[in-house]
PDB file of all heavy atoms in Angstrom:
ATOM      1  N   ARG A  18       0.818  -1.239  -0.012  1.00 91.00           N
ATOM      2  CA  ARG A  18      -0.008  -0.010  -0.019  1.00 91.00           C
ATOM      3  C   ARG A  18       0.893   1.263  -0.001  1.00 91.00           C
ATOM      4  O   ARG A  18       0.593   2.231  -0.724  1.00 91.00           O
ATOM      5  CB  ARG A  18      -0.916  -0.033   1.215  1.00 91.00           C
ATOM      6  CG  ARG A  18      -1.849   1.169   1.338  1.00 91.00           C
ATOM      7  CD  ARG A  18      -2.712   1.087   2.594  1.00 91.00           C
ATOM      8  NE  ARG A  18      -1.851   0.809   3.761  1.00 91.00           N
ATOM      9  CZ  ARG A  18      -1.951  -0.354   4.520  1.00 91.00           C
ATOM     10  NH1 ARG A  18      -2.753  -1.291   4.188  1.00 91.00           N
ATOM     11  NH2 ARG A  18      -1.108  -0.527   5.484  1.00 91.00           N
ATOM     12  N   GLU A  19       1.943   1.259   0.739  1.00 94.00           N
ATOM     13  CA  GLU A  19       2.818   2.376   0.810  1.00 94.00           C
ATOM     14  C   GLU A  19       3.494   2.702  -0.520  1.00 94.00           C
ATOM     15  O   GLU A  19       3.560   3.879  -0.950  1.00 94.00           O
ATOM     16  CB  GLU A  19       3.928   2.194   1.872  1.00 94.00           C
ATOM     17  CG  GLU A  19       4.784   3.434   2.127  1.00 94.00           C
ATOM     18  CD  GLU A  19       5.655   3.251   3.353  1.00 94.00           C
ATOM     19  OE1 GLU A  19       5.744   2.188   3.866  1.00 94.00           O
ATOM     20  OE2 GLU A  19       6.213   4.310   3.774  1.00 94.00           O
ATOM     21  N   GLU A  20       3.877   1.676  -1.260  1.00 95.00           N
ATOM     22  CA  GLU A  20       4.451   1.855  -2.609  1.00 95.00           C
ATOM     23  C   GLU A  20       3.393   2.494  -3.548  1.00 95.00           C
ATOM     24  O   GLU A  20       3.694   3.336  -4.332  1.00 95.00           O
ATOM     25  CB  GLU A  20       4.931   0.516  -3.196  1.00 95.00           C
ATOM     26  CG  GLU A  20       5.614   0.678  -4.538  1.00 95.00           C
ATOM     27  CD  GLU A  20       6.026  -0.718  -5.104  1.00 95.00           C
ATOM     28  OE1 GLU A  20       5.777  -1.746  -4.418  1.00 95.00           O
ATOM     29  OE2 GLU A  20       6.673  -0.759  -6.147  1.00 95.00           O
ATOM     30  N   ILE A  21       2.167   1.965  -3.441  1.00 96.00           N
ATOM     31  CA  ILE A  21       1.074   2.484  -4.252  1.00 96.00           C
ATOM     32  C   ILE A  21       0.838   3.980  -3.971  1.00 96.00           C
ATOM     33  O   ILE A  21       0.705   4.767  -4.874  1.00 96.00           O
ATOM     34  CB  ILE A  21      -0.237   1.712  -4.023  1.00 96.00           C
ATOM     35  CG1 ILE A  21      -0.095   0.278  -4.552  1.00 96.00           C
ATOM     36  CG2 ILE A  21      -1.427   2.373  -4.568  1.00 96.00           C
ATOM     37  CD1 ILE A  21      -1.167  -0.752  -4.058  1.00 96.00           C
ATOM     38  N   ILE A  22       0.817   4.339  -2.664  1.00 95.00           N
ATOM     39  CA  ILE A  22       0.594   5.745  -2.342  1.00 95.00           C
ATOM     40  C   ILE A  22       1.707   6.650  -2.815  1.00 95.00           C
ATOM     41  O   ILE A  22       1.488   7.715  -3.284  1.00 95.00           O
ATOM     42  CB  ILE A  22       0.359   5.864  -0.810  1.00 95.00           C
ATOM     43  CG1 ILE A  22      -0.913   5.117  -0.398  1.00 95.00           C
ATOM     44  CG2 ILE A  22       0.323   7.360  -0.431  1.00 95.00           C
ATOM     45  CD1 ILE A  22      -1.134   5.068   1.080  1.00 95.00           C
ATOM     46  N   GLU A  23       2.954   6.139  -2.715  1.00 94.00           N
ATOM     47  CA  GLU A  23       4.075   6.853  -3.266  1.00 94.00           C
ATOM     48  C   GLU A  23       3.953   7.201  -4.754  1.00 94.00           C
ATOM     49  O   GLU A  23       4.176   8.319  -5.203  1.00 94.00           O
ATOM     50  CB  GLU A  23       5.400   6.074  -3.052  1.00 94.00           C
ATOM     51  CG  GLU A  23       5.863   6.038  -1.626  1.00 94.00           C
ATOM     52  CD  GLU A  23       7.105   5.186  -1.529  1.00 94.00           C
ATOM     53  OE1 GLU A  23       7.414   4.364  -2.392  1.00 94.00           O
ATOM     54  OE2 GLU A  23       7.840   5.330  -0.467  1.00 94.00           O
ATOM     55  N   HIS A  24       3.423   6.228  -5.527  1.00 95.00           N
ATOM     56  CA  HIS A  24       3.250   6.421  -6.904  1.00 95.00           C
ATOM     57  C   HIS A  24       2.093   7.378  -7.228  1.00 95.00           C
ATOM     58  O   HIS A  24       2.170   8.286  -8.115  1.00 95.00           O
ATOM     59  CB  HIS A  24       3.006   5.131  -7.651  1.00 95.00           C
ATOM     60  CG  HIS A  24       4.286   4.399  -7.934  1.00 95.00           C
ATOM     61  ND1 HIS A  24       4.808   4.220  -9.171  1.00 95.00           N
ATOM     62  CD2 HIS A  24       5.156   3.742  -7.096  1.00 95.00           C
ATOM     63  CE1 HIS A  24       5.913   3.576  -9.137  1.00 95.00           C
ATOM     64  NE2 HIS A  24       6.161   3.207  -7.861  1.00 95.00           N
ATOM     65  N   ILE A  25       1.024   7.376  -6.347  1.00 96.00           N
ATOM     66  CA  ILE A  25      -0.099   8.263  -6.526  1.00 96.00           C
ATOM     67  C   ILE A  25       0.352   9.696  -6.339  1.00 96.00           C
ATOM     68  O   ILE A  25       0.047  10.582  -7.064  1.00 96.00           O
ATOM     69  CB  ILE A  25      -1.233   7.933  -5.568  1.00 96.00           C
ATOM     70  CG1 ILE A  25      -1.879   6.551  -5.932  1.00 96.00           C
ATOM     71  CG2 ILE A  25      -2.296   9.020  -5.602  1.00 96.00           C
ATOM     72  CD1 ILE A  25      -2.792   5.976  -4.857  1.00 96.00           C
ATOM     73  N   VAL A  26       1.160   9.910  -5.260  1.00 94.00           N
ATOM     74  CA  VAL A  26       1.620  11.267  -4.912  1.00 94.00           C
ATOM     75  C   VAL A  26       2.476  11.855  -6.012  1.00 94.00           C
ATOM     76  O   VAL A  26       2.461  13.093  -6.189  1.00 94.00           O
ATOM     77  CB  VAL A  26       2.359  11.208  -3.569  1.00 94.00           C
ATOM     78  CG1 VAL A  26       3.092  12.520  -3.308  1.00 94.00           C
ATOM     79  CG2 VAL A  26       1.398  10.909  -2.423  1.00 94.00           C
ATOM     80  N   ARG A  27       3.190  11.055  -6.775  1.00 93.00           N
ATOM     81  CA  ARG A  27       3.961  11.571  -7.891  1.00 93.00           C
ATOM     82  C   ARG A  27       3.093  12.234  -8.943  1.00 93.00           C
ATOM     83  O   ARG A  27       3.596  13.083  -9.707  1.00 93.00           O
ATOM     84  CB  ARG A  27       4.773  10.464  -8.545  1.00 93.00           C
ATOM     85  CG  ARG A  27       5.833   9.863  -7.647  1.00 93.00           C
ATOM     86  CD  ARG A  27       6.537   8.709  -8.333  1.00 93.00           C
ATOM     87  NE  ARG A  27       7.331   7.935  -7.413  1.00 93.00           N
ATOM     88  CZ  ARG A  27       7.974   6.766  -7.741  1.00 93.00           C
ATOM     89  NH1 ARG A  27       7.777   6.283  -8.995  1.00 93.00           N
ATOM     90  NH2 ARG A  27       8.629   6.133  -6.834  1.00 93.00           N
ATOM     91  N   PHE A  28       1.842  11.897  -8.998  1.00 93.00           N
ATOM     92  CA  PHE A  28       0.955  12.432 -10.014  1.00 93.00           C
ATOM     93  C   PHE A  28      -0.017  13.462  -9.563  1.00 93.00           C
ATOM     94  O   PHE A  28      -0.653  14.168 -10.341  1.00 93.00           O
ATOM     95  CB  PHE A  28       0.125  11.239 -10.679  1.00 93.00           C
ATOM     96  CG  PHE A  28       0.935  10.367 -11.569  1.00 93.00           C
ATOM     97  CD1 PHE A  28       1.651   9.295 -11.068  1.00 93.00           C
ATOM     98  CD2 PHE A  28       0.957  10.590 -12.968  1.00 93.00           C
ATOM     99  CE1 PHE A  28       2.436   8.472 -11.934  1.00 93.00           C
ATOM    100  CE2 PHE A  28       1.687   9.774 -13.797  1.00 93.00           C
ATOM    101  CZ  PHE A  28       2.423   8.735 -13.312  1.00 93.00           C
ATOM    102  N   THR A  29      -0.117  13.631  -8.236  1.00 93.00           N
ATOM    103  CA  THR A  29      -1.149  14.578  -7.712  1.00 93.00           C
ATOM    104  C   THR A  29      -0.796  15.997  -7.783  1.00 93.00           C
ATOM    105  O   THR A  29      -1.607  16.915  -7.775  1.00 93.00           O
ATOM    106  CB  THR A  29      -1.536  14.199  -6.276  1.00 93.00           C
ATOM    107  OG1 THR A  29      -0.323  14.244  -5.485  1.00 93.00           O
ATOM    108  CG2 THR A  29      -2.159  12.834  -6.202  1.00 93.00           C
ATOM    109  N   GLY A  30       0.565  16.272  -7.886  1.00 90.00           N
ATOM    110  CA  GLY A  30       1.010  17.622  -8.030  1.00 90.00           C
ATOM    111  C   GLY A  30       0.514  18.511  -6.898  1.00 90.00           C
ATOM    112  O   GLY A  30       0.700  18.253  -5.714  1.00 90.00           O
ATOM    113  N   ASP A  31      -0.185  19.595  -7.272  1.00 91.00           N
ATOM    114  CA  ASP A  31      -0.703  20.582  -6.278  1.00 91.00           C
ATOM    115  C   ASP A  31      -2.189  20.305  -5.887  1.00 91.00           C
ATOM    116  O   ASP A  31      -2.855  21.180  -5.383  1.00 91.00           O
ATOM    117  CB  ASP A  31      -0.577  21.961  -6.919  1.00 91.00           C
ATOM    118  CG  ASP A  31       0.244  22.882  -5.973  1.00 91.00           C
ATOM    119  OD1 ASP A  31       0.841  22.362  -5.011  1.00 91.00           O
ATOM    120  OD2 ASP A  31       0.249  24.115  -6.220  1.00 91.00           O
ATOM    121  N   ASP A  32      -2.634  19.113  -6.233  1.00 94.00           N
ATOM    122  CA  ASP A  32      -4.044  18.751  -5.918  1.00 94.00           C
ATOM    123  C   ASP A  32      -4.165  18.293  -4.445  1.00 94.00           C
ATOM    124  O   ASP A  32      -3.275  17.683  -3.900  1.00 94.00           O
ATOM    125  CB  ASP A  32      -4.454  17.603  -6.844  1.00 94.00           C
ATOM    126  CG  ASP A  32      -4.485  17.924  -8.310  1.00 94.00           C
ATOM    127  OD1 ASP A  32      -4.458  19.132  -8.653  1.00 94.00           O
ATOM    128  OD2 ASP A  32      -4.416  16.997  -9.096  1.00 94.00           O
ATOM    129  N   PRO A  33      -5.327  18.627  -3.861  1.00 96.00           N
ATOM    130  CA  PRO A  33      -5.577  18.108  -2.527  1.00 96.00           C
ATOM    131  C   PRO A  33      -5.880  16.614  -2.489  1.00 96.00           C
ATOM    132  O   PRO A  33      -6.440  16.085  -3.441  1.00 96.00           O
ATOM    133  CB  PRO A  33      -6.814  18.933  -2.056  1.00 96.00           C
ATOM    134  CG  PRO A  33      -7.472  19.303  -3.326  1.00 96.00           C
ATOM    135  CD  PRO A  33      -6.379  19.441  -4.384  1.00 96.00           C
ATOM    136  N   ILE A  34      -5.493  15.992  -1.379  1.00 95.00           N
ATOM    137  CA  ILE A  34      -5.796  14.543  -1.189  1.00 95.00           C
ATOM    138  C   ILE A  34      -6.549  14.368   0.113  1.00 95.00           C
ATOM    139  O   ILE A  34      -6.172  14.906   1.148  1.00 95.00           O
ATOM    140  CB  ILE A  34      -4.474  13.694  -1.147  1.00 95.00           C
ATOM    141  CG1 ILE A  34      -3.720  13.778  -2.475  1.00 95.00           C
ATOM    142  CG2 ILE A  34      -4.772  12.238  -0.817  1.00 95.00           C
ATOM    143  CD1 ILE A  34      -2.364  13.037  -2.449  1.00 95.00           C
ATOM    144  N   VAL A  35      -7.613  13.570   0.067  1.00 96.00           N
ATOM    145  CA  VAL A  35      -8.283  13.100   1.276  1.00 96.00           C
ATOM    146  C   VAL A  35      -7.938  11.635   1.506  1.00 96.00           C
ATOM    147  O   VAL A  35      -8.215  10.854   0.550  1.00 96.00           O
ATOM    148  CB  VAL A  35      -9.814  13.274   1.183  1.00 96.00           C
ATOM    149  CG1 VAL A  35     -10.458  12.792   2.456  1.00 96.00           C
ATOM    150  CG2 VAL A  35     -10.113  14.761   1.039  1.00 96.00           C
ATOM    151  N   SER A  36      -7.325  11.265   2.626  1.00 94.00           N
ATOM    152  CA  SER A  36      -6.934   9.889   2.848  1.00 94.00           C
ATOM    153  C   SER A  36      -7.722   9.285   3.894  1.00 94.00           C
ATOM    154  O   SER A  36      -8.212   9.909   4.851  1.00 94.00           O
ATOM    155  CB  SER A  36      -5.407   9.802   3.146  1.00 94.00           C
ATOM    156  OG  SER A  36      -5.122  10.562   4.365  1.00 94.00           O
ATOM    157  N   THR A  37      -7.923   7.968   3.786  1.00 91.00           N
ATOM    158  CA  THR A  37      -8.841   7.202   4.653  1.00 91.00           C
ATOM    159  C   THR A  37      -8.243   6.880   6.066  1.00 91.00           C
ATOM    160  O   THR A  37      -7.064   7.058   6.289  1.00 91.00           O
ATOM    161  CB  THR A  37      -9.310   5.896   3.968  1.00 91.00           C
ATOM    162  OG1 THR A  37     -10.400   5.365   4.729  1.00 91.00           O
ATOM    163  CG2 THR A  37      -8.161   4.932   3.881  1.00 91.00           C
ATOM    164  N   THR A  38      -9.105   6.410   6.849  1.00 86.00           N
ATOM    165  CA  THR A  38      -8.731   6.037   8.225  1.00 86.00           C
ATOM    166  C   THR A  38      -7.675   4.936   8.258  1.00 86.00           C
ATOM    167  O   THR A  38      -7.692   4.031   7.379  1.00 86.00           O
ATOM    168  CB  THR A  38      -9.995   5.513   8.982  1.00 86.00           C
ATOM    169  OG1 THR A  38     -11.043   6.400   8.784  1.00 86.00           O
ATOM    170  CG2 THR A  38      -9.705   5.257  10.441  1.00 86.00           C
ATOM    171  N   GLY A  39      -6.752   4.946   9.186  1.00 84.00           N
ATOM    172  CA  GLY A  39      -5.827   3.818   9.348  1.00 84.00           C
ATOM    173  C   GLY A  39      -4.459   4.114   8.832  1.00 84.00           C
ATOM    174  O   GLY A  39      -3.977   5.212   8.668  1.00 84.00           O
ATOM    175  N   LYS A  40      -3.832   2.979   8.384  1.00 87.00           N
ATOM    176  CA  LYS A  40      -2.401   3.103   7.960  1.00 87.00           C
ATOM    177  C   LYS A  40      -2.179   3.839   6.711  1.00 87.00           C
ATOM    178  O   LYS A  40      -1.067   4.374   6.481  1.00 87.00           O
ATOM    179  CB  LYS A  40      -1.836   1.666   7.872  1.00 87.00           C
ATOM    180  CG  LYS A  40      -1.698   1.005   9.278  1.00 87.00           C
ATOM    181  CD  LYS A  40      -1.058  -0.417   9.168  1.00 87.00           C
ATOM    182  CE  LYS A  40      -0.955  -0.982  10.635  1.00 87.00           C
ATOM    183  NZ  LYS A  40      -0.435  -2.358  10.610  1.00 87.00           N
ATOM    184  N   ALA A  41      -3.176   3.937   5.853  1.00 88.00           N
ATOM    185  CA  ALA A  41      -3.057   4.662   4.583  1.00 88.00           C
ATOM    186  C   ALA A  41      -2.671   6.153   4.917  1.00 88.00           C
ATOM    187  O   ALA A  41      -1.782   6.695   4.252  1.00 88.00           O
ATOM    188  CB  ALA A  41      -4.262   4.614   3.743  1.00 88.00           C
ATOM    189  N   SER A  42      -3.354   6.746   5.859  1.00 89.00           N
ATOM    190  CA  SER A  42      -3.067   8.106   6.225  1.00 89.00           C
ATOM    191  C   SER A  42      -1.665   8.226   6.881  1.00 89.00           C
ATOM    192  O   SER A  42      -0.960   9.226   6.673  1.00 89.00           O
ATOM    193  CB  SER A  42      -4.185   8.667   7.173  1.00 89.00           C
ATOM    194  OG  SER A  42      -5.320   9.067   6.458  1.00 89.00           O
ATOM    195  N   ARG A  43      -1.366   7.300   7.704  1.00 89.00           N
ATOM    196  CA  ARG A  43       0.000   7.277   8.301  1.00 89.00           C
ATOM    197  C   ARG A  43       1.061   7.203   7.272  1.00 89.00           C
ATOM    198  O   ARG A  43       2.139   7.927   7.343  1.00 89.00           O
ATOM    199  CB  ARG A  43       0.095   6.165   9.364  1.00 89.00           C
ATOM    200  CG  ARG A  43      -0.762   6.325  10.526  1.00 89.00           C
ATOM    201  CD  ARG A  43      -0.941   5.029  11.364  1.00 89.00           C
ATOM    202  NE  ARG A  43       0.334   4.545  11.825  1.00 89.00           N
ATOM    203  CZ  ARG A  43       0.464   3.362  12.475  1.00 89.00           C
ATOM    204  NH1 ARG A  43      -0.646   2.602  12.721  1.00 89.00           N
ATOM    205  NH2 ARG A  43       1.658   2.992  12.916  1.00 89.00           N
ATOM    206  N   GLU A  44       0.867   6.361   6.252  1.00 91.00           N
ATOM    207  CA  GLU A  44       1.871   6.213   5.214  1.00 91.00           C
ATOM    208  C   GLU A  44       1.951   7.470   4.353  1.00 91.00           C
ATOM    209  O   GLU A  44       3.003   7.969   3.995  1.00 91.00           O
ATOM    210  CB  GLU A  44       1.528   4.986   4.344  1.00 91.00           C
ATOM    211  CG  GLU A  44       1.786   3.709   5.066  1.00 91.00           C
ATOM    212  CD  GLU A  44       1.163   2.494   4.480  1.00 91.00           C
ATOM    213  OE1 GLU A  44       0.198   2.634   3.632  1.00 91.00           O
ATOM    214  OE2 GLU A  44       1.521   1.373   4.781  1.00 91.00           O
ATOM    215  N   LEU A  45       0.774   8.075   4.034  1.00 92.00           N
ATOM    216  CA  LEU A  45       0.811   9.326   3.287  1.00 92.00           C
ATOM    217  C   LEU A  45       1.556  10.401   4.050  1.00 92.00           C
ATOM    218  O   LEU A  45       2.334  11.164   3.452  1.00 92.00           O
ATOM    219  CB  LEU A  45      -0.616   9.775   3.001  1.00 92.00           C
ATOM    220  CG  LEU A  45      -0.797  11.089   2.290  1.00 92.00           C
ATOM    221  CD1 LEU A  45      -0.128  11.094   0.906  1.00 92.00           C
ATOM    222  CD2 LEU A  45      -2.261  11.493   2.143  1.00 92.00           C
ATOM    223  N   PHE A  46       1.368  10.498   5.293  1.00 91.00           N
ATOM    224  CA  PHE A  46       2.000  11.478   6.181  1.00 91.00           C
ATOM    225  C   PHE A  46       3.549  11.348   6.068  1.00 91.00           C
ATOM    226  O   PHE A  46       4.303  12.289   5.919  1.00 91.00           O
ATOM    227  CB  PHE A  46       1.551  11.352   7.609  1.00 91.00           C
ATOM    228  CG  PHE A  46       2.054  12.497   8.489  1.00 91.00           C
ATOM    229  CD1 PHE A  46       1.333  13.722   8.586  1.00 91.00           C
ATOM    230  CD2 PHE A  46       3.260  12.383   9.236  1.00 91.00           C
ATOM    231  CE1 PHE A  46       1.852  14.746   9.399  1.00 91.00           C
ATOM    232  CE2 PHE A  46       3.713  13.362  10.004  1.00 91.00           C
ATOM    233  CZ  PHE A  46       3.007  14.560  10.090  1.00 91.00           C
ATOM    234  N   GLU A  47       4.022  10.103   6.136  1.00 90.00           N
ATOM    235  CA  GLU A  47       5.471   9.859   6.105  1.00 90.00           C
ATOM    236  C   GLU A  47       6.003  10.114   4.736  1.00 90.00           C
ATOM    237  O   GLU A  47       7.128  10.654   4.545  1.00 90.00           O
ATOM    238  CB  GLU A  47       5.821   8.471   6.587  1.00 90.00           C
ATOM    239  CG  GLU A  47       5.543   8.218   8.050  1.00 90.00           C
ATOM    240  CD  GLU A  47       6.460   7.208   8.630  1.00 90.00           C
ATOM    241  OE1 GLU A  47       7.098   6.486   7.948  1.00 90.00           O
ATOM    242  OE2 GLU A  47       6.458   7.162   9.865  1.00 90.00           O
ATOM    243  N   ILE A  48       5.244   9.797   3.665  1.00 89.00           N
ATOM    244  CA  ILE A  48       5.708   9.995   2.302  1.00 89.00           C
ATOM    245  C   ILE A  48       5.859  11.506   2.053  1.00 89.00           C
ATOM    246  O   ILE A  48       6.787  11.942   1.350  1.00 89.00           O
ATOM    247  CB  ILE A  48       4.686   9.316   1.294  1.00 89.00           C
ATOM    248  CG1 ILE A  48       4.809   7.804   1.375  1.00 89.00           C
ATOM    249  CG2 ILE A  48       4.930   9.831  -0.146  1.00 89.00           C
ATOM    250  CD1 ILE A  48       3.678   7.074   0.675  1.00 89.00           C
ATOM    251  N   ARG A  49       4.984  12.274   2.506  1.00 88.00           N
ATOM    252  CA  ARG A  49       5.043  13.766   2.286  1.00 88.00           C
ATOM    253  C   ARG A  49       6.199  14.381   3.018  1.00 88.00           C
ATOM    254  O   ARG A  49       6.582  15.535   2.701  1.00 88.00           O
ATOM    255  CB  ARG A  49       3.775  14.389   2.792  1.00 88.00           C
ATOM    256  CG  ARG A  49       2.499  14.060   1.941  1.00 88.00           C
ATOM    257  CD  ARG A  49       2.597  14.749   0.575  1.00 88.00           C
ATOM    258  NE  ARG A  49       1.238  14.936   0.070  1.00 88.00           N
ATOM    259  CZ  ARG A  49       0.937  15.310  -1.157  1.00 88.00           C
ATOM    260  NH1 ARG A  49       1.964  15.555  -2.021  1.00 88.00           N
ATOM    261  NH2 ARG A  49      -0.251  15.521  -1.560  1.00 88.00           N
ATOM    262  N   LYS A  50       6.769  13.772   3.997  1.00 79.00           N
ATOM    263  CA  LYS A  50       7.867  14.309   4.795  1.00 79.00           C
ATOM    264  C   LYS A  50       7.471  15.640   5.403  1.00 79.00           C
ATOM    265  O   LYS A  50       6.795  15.698   6.388  1.00 79.00           O
ATOM    266  CB  LYS A  50       9.115  14.409   3.993  1.00 79.00           C
ATOM    267  CG  LYS A  50       9.557  13.052   3.399  1.00 79.00           C
ATOM    268  CD  LYS A  50      10.949  13.076   2.770  1.00 79.00           C
ATOM    269  CE  LYS A  50      11.270  11.745   2.086  1.00 79.00           C
ATOM    270  NZ  LYS A  50      11.175  10.557   2.960  1.00 79.00           N
ATOM    271  N   ASP A  51       7.868  16.777   4.882  1.00 69.00           N
ATOM    272  CA  ASP A  51       7.632  18.064   5.534  1.00 69.00           C
ATOM    273  C   ASP A  51       6.630  18.922   4.805  1.00 69.00           C
ATOM    274  O   ASP A  51       6.535  20.107   5.002  1.00 69.00           O
ATOM    275  CB  ASP A  51       8.960  18.849   5.650  1.00 69.00           C
ATOM    276  CG  ASP A  51       9.569  19.167   4.214  1.00 69.00           C
ATOM    277  OD1 ASP A  51       9.144  18.491   3.284  1.00 69.00           O
ATOM    278  OD2 ASP A  51      10.444  20.042   4.208  1.00 69.00           O
ATOM    279  N   ARG A  52       5.810  18.293   3.950  1.00 77.00           N
ATOM    280  CA  ARG A  52       4.712  19.031   3.223  1.00 77.00           C
ATOM    281  C   ARG A  52       3.380  18.324   3.379  1.00 77.00           C
ATOM    282  O   ARG A  52       3.048  17.411   2.636  1.00 77.00           O
ATOM    283  CB  ARG A  52       5.089  19.100   1.718  1.00 77.00           C
ATOM    284  CG  ARG A  52       6.399  19.814   1.370  1.00 77.00           C
ATOM    285  CD  ARG A  52       6.288  21.300   1.559  1.00 77.00           C
ATOM    286  NE  ARG A  52       5.302  21.954   0.759  1.00 77.00           N
ATOM    287  CZ  ARG A  52       5.174  23.271   0.667  1.00 77.00           C
ATOM    288  NH1 ARG A  52       5.936  24.064   1.391  1.00 77.00           N
ATOM    289  NH2 ARG A  52       4.220  23.764  -0.103  1.00 77.00           N
ATOM    290  N   HIS A  53       2.635  18.742   4.421  1.00 84.00           N
ATOM    291  CA  HIS A  53       1.423  18.012   4.723  1.00 84.00           C
ATOM    292  C   HIS A  53       0.159  18.848   4.458  1.00 84.00           C
ATOM    293  O   HIS A  53      -0.957  18.339   4.642  1.00 84.00           O
ATOM    294  CB  HIS A  53       1.460  17.545   6.212  1.00 84.00           C
ATOM    295  CG  HIS A  53       2.663  16.803   6.557  1.00 84.00           C
ATOM    296  ND1 HIS A  53       2.913  15.518   5.988  1.00 84.00           N
ATOM    297  CD2 HIS A  53       3.688  17.056   7.341  1.00 84.00           C
ATOM    298  CE1 HIS A  53       4.032  15.034   6.463  1.00 84.00           C
ATOM    299  NE2 HIS A  53       4.590  15.996   7.271  1.00 84.00           N
ATOM    300  N   GLU A  54       0.274  20.088   4.084  1.00 91.00           N
ATOM    301  CA  GLU A  54      -0.902  20.928   4.004  1.00 91.00           C
ATOM    302  C   GLU A  54      -1.868  20.539   2.897  1.00 91.00           C
ATOM    303  O   GLU A  54      -3.023  20.928   2.909  1.00 91.00           O
ATOM    304  CB  GLU A  54      -0.526  22.429   3.829  1.00 91.00           C
ATOM    305  CG  GLU A  54       0.104  22.788   2.480  1.00 91.00           C
ATOM    306  CD  GLU A  54       1.621  22.399   2.392  1.00 91.00           C
ATOM    307  OE1 GLU A  54       2.150  21.852   3.384  1.00 91.00           O
ATOM    308  OE2 GLU A  54       2.186  22.719   1.325  1.00 91.00           O
ATOM    309  N   LYS A  55      -1.448  19.778   1.930  1.00 91.00           N
ATOM    310  CA  LYS A  55      -2.325  19.390   0.810  1.00 91.00           C
ATOM    311  C   LYS A  55      -3.201  18.177   1.191  1.00 91.00           C
ATOM    312  O   LYS A  55      -4.048  17.763   0.388  1.00 91.00           O
ATOM    313  CB  LYS A  55      -1.442  19.011  -0.390  1.00 91.00           C
ATOM    314  CG  LYS A  55      -0.551  20.115  -0.955  1.00 91.00           C
ATOM    315  CD  LYS A  55       0.322  19.525  -2.086  1.00 91.00           C
ATOM    316  CE  LYS A  55       1.364  20.566  -2.467  1.00 91.00           C
ATOM    317  NZ  LYS A  55       2.303  20.055  -3.494  1.00 91.00           N
ATOM    318  N   ASP A  56      -2.952  17.537   2.318  1.00 91.00           N
ATOM    319  CA  ASP A  56      -3.624  16.309   2.666  1.00 91.00           C
ATOM    320  C   ASP A  56      -4.586  16.507   3.828  1.00 91.00           C
ATOM    321  O   ASP A  56      -4.150  17.087   4.873  1.00 91.00           O
ATOM    322  CB  ASP A  56      -2.636  15.253   2.990  1.00 91.00           C
ATOM    323  CG  ASP A  56      -1.513  15.110   1.961  1.00 91.00           C
ATOM    324  OD1 ASP A  56      -1.874  15.228   0.727  1.00 91.00           O
ATOM    325  OD2 ASP A  56      -0.373  14.853   2.304  1.00 91.00           O
TER     326      ASP A  56
END
């Protein structure tokens, strides 16, 4: 799932993302590193 989210983020650019409950949101948070305002 983390690899999938990494690939999604490469294409979202400046678009907002809403992520679901659980580990998906945790993985998205770590993938973004220091840029979380879009999520």
Side-chain angles (χ1 to χ4, degrees):
R18 180 181 51 247
E19 188 167 11
E20 183 183 5
I21 290 166
I22 295 173
E23 285 177 345
H24 279 252
I25 293 168
V26 167
R27 292 176 193 174
F28 285 84
T29 57
D31 237 9
D32 299 337
I34 297 176
V35 178
S36 59
T37 190
T38 311
K40 290 181 180 176
S42 281
R43 292 166 59 184
E44 288 164 343
L45 177 61
F46 187 87
E47 292 210 347
I48 289 165
R49 289 291 205 189
K50 301 189 186 304
D51 61 345
R52 299 288 300 188
H53 305 295
E54 70 278 2
K55 299 174 188 175
D56 308 324

